[in-house]
């Protein structure tokens, strides 16, 4: 079956570093996305990994290990505005030949002064 | 400005009263999709469309209909809404449904069915 797990909530301090983990099980992995979603707003794209390793984009980095079914999103130099939910989503080669995007429930991050 | 728009943004209705939530994108995207988001469950796909006149069911299609008569629009229709369809709905689009395509989301429609 298909399953994505990520922690429900995390807290961190302004200026610190936080790592949000995501584990997944899919029948046909074809890429992993991280989205940021502020309360009541639309998800916005943060990063995409399809090969093993680290993708760095400013203060945000995303890591993927396909053999372990594992990814993490690393946020450095945390700012108050980083308080949001972070959604892990996996592309799955569906039986019908269409690339399906499966979302985790999201990790709600609270950044404190 | 490249964007996905949805209307209405907020809607309170009663059981059984047909409603339509519109979705439009100006990026000439082929792929469009509807999701609902409920606490603790994440985003779940309702229907998707690979192109004009091509639509298919997602994970939770019961109680919903869609149409794709033109590329830019992908309305979501609730023929007879029920309280369990109270949710936050997002429309999304991407260039095609390919692995590297990023999905762009609309601002969301918060629907309450009494």
């Amino acid at each position: 079956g298909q399953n994505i797990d990520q922690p429900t909530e995390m807290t961190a301090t302004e200026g610190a570093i936080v790592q949000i983990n995501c584990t997944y099980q899919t029948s046909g992995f074809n890429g992993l996305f991280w989205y940021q979603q502020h309360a009541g707003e639309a998800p916005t794209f943060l990063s995409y990994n399809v090969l093993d390793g680290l993708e760095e984009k400013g203060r945000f980095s995303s890591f993927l290990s396909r053999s372990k079914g594992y990814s993490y999103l690393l946020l450095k130099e945390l700012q108050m505005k980083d308080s949001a939910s972070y959604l892990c989503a996996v592309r799955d080669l569906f039986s019908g030949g269409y690339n399906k995007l499966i979302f985790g429930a999201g990790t709600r991050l609270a950044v404190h002064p | 400005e490249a964007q996905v728009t949805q209307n209405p943004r907020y809607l309170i209705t009663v059981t059984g009263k047909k409603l339509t939530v519109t979705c439009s994108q100006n990026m000439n995207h082929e792929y469009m999709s509807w999701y609902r988001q409920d606490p603790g469950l994440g985003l779940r796909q309702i229907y998707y469309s690979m192109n004009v006149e091509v639509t298919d069911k997602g994970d939770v299609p019961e109680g919903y209909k869609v149409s794709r008569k033109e590329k830019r629009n992908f309305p979501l229709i609730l023929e007879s809404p029920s309280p369990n369809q109270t949710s936050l709905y997002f429309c999304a689009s991407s260039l095609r449904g390919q692995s590297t395509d990023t999905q762009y989301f609309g601002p969301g429609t918060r629907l309450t069915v009494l």
Side-chain angles (χ1 to χ4, degrees):
Chain A
Q2 304 153 342
N3 194 44
I4 298 180
D5 287 313
Q6 48 183 135
T8 304
E9 292 185 358
M10 298 182 72
T11 59
T13 304
E14 193 175 17
I17 299 172
V18 71
Q19 177 174 310
I20 302 174
N21 295 324
C22 172
T23 58
Y24 63 87
Q25 291 176 310
T26 59
S27 53
F29 177 82
N30 201 24
L32 186 143
F33 292 80
W34 283 95
Y35 282 83
Q36 181 191 59
Q37 185 180 25
H38 285 98
E41 297 183 9
T44 56
F45 170 77
L46 287 178
S47 69
Y48 169 70
N49 296 69
V50 67
L51 300 176
D52 290 350
L54 189 68
E55 293 282 340
E56 298 188 76
K57 194 184 284 188
R59 294 190 298 115
F60 294 2
S61 304
S62 57
F63 172 83
L64 175 67
S65 169
R66 289 172 295 171
S67 62
K68 295 181 180 176
Y70 168 69
S71 173
Y72 67 73
L73 180 69
L74 194 70
L75 292 76
K76 303 175 187 174
E77 301 169 16
L78 280 171
Q79 301 175 9
M80 298 297 290
K81 68 178 181 179
D82 297 329
S83 293
S85 288
Y86 292 86
L87 313 181
C88 175
V90 173
R91 277 217 185 270
D92 192 338
L93 277 173
F94 197 53
S95 59
Y98 134 74
N99 286 332
K100 183 175 180 177
L101 198 60
I102 305 159
F103 283 85
T107 298
R108 193 161 53 247
L109 174 67
V111 180
H112 298 289
Chain B
E1 180 190 351
Q3 60 182 351
V4 180
T5 57
Q6 294 178 227
N7 280 292
R9 296 289 314 280
Y10 303 90
L11 180 61
I12 300 174
T13 189
V14 295
T15 298
K17 186 176 181 182
K18 181 179 178 180
L19 66 92
T20 299
V21 184
T22 64
C23 172
S24 183
Q25 50 89 10
N26 62 1
M27 296 171 279
N28 202 35
H29 284 171
E30 292 183 359
Y31 177 87
M32 297 185 76
S33 180
W34 275 103
Y35 295 90
R36 61 178 289 173
Q37 188 175 36
D38 303 289
L41 294 179
L43 285 158
R44 293 180 292 166
Q45 190 177 55
I46 302 170
Y47 268 94
Y48 67 93
S49 170
M50 296 295 285
N51 213 326
V52 176
E53 302 290 2
V54 181
T55 63
D56 209 344
K57 297 177 181 178
D59 292 320
V60 288
E62 293 77 22
Y64 304 94
K65 285 173 56 177
V66 292
S67 70
R68 187 90 182 274
K69 292 183 170 57
E70 46 192 344
K71 198 180 230 184
R72 64 183 294 125
N73 296 324
F74 190 46
L76 179 70
I77 303 153
L78 285 73
E79 293 271 3
S80 182
S82 62
N84 65 10
Q85 292 178 298
T86 292
S87 188
L88 179 58
Y89 291 87
F90 288 101
C91 180
S93 73
S94 65
L95 188 59
R96 295 180 184 84
Q98 294 176 354
S99 60
T100 55
D101 288 349
T102 300
Q103 287 198 24
Y104 296 91
F105 286 83
T109 296
R110 188 169 291 281
L111 172 66
T112 301
V113 183
L114 302 174

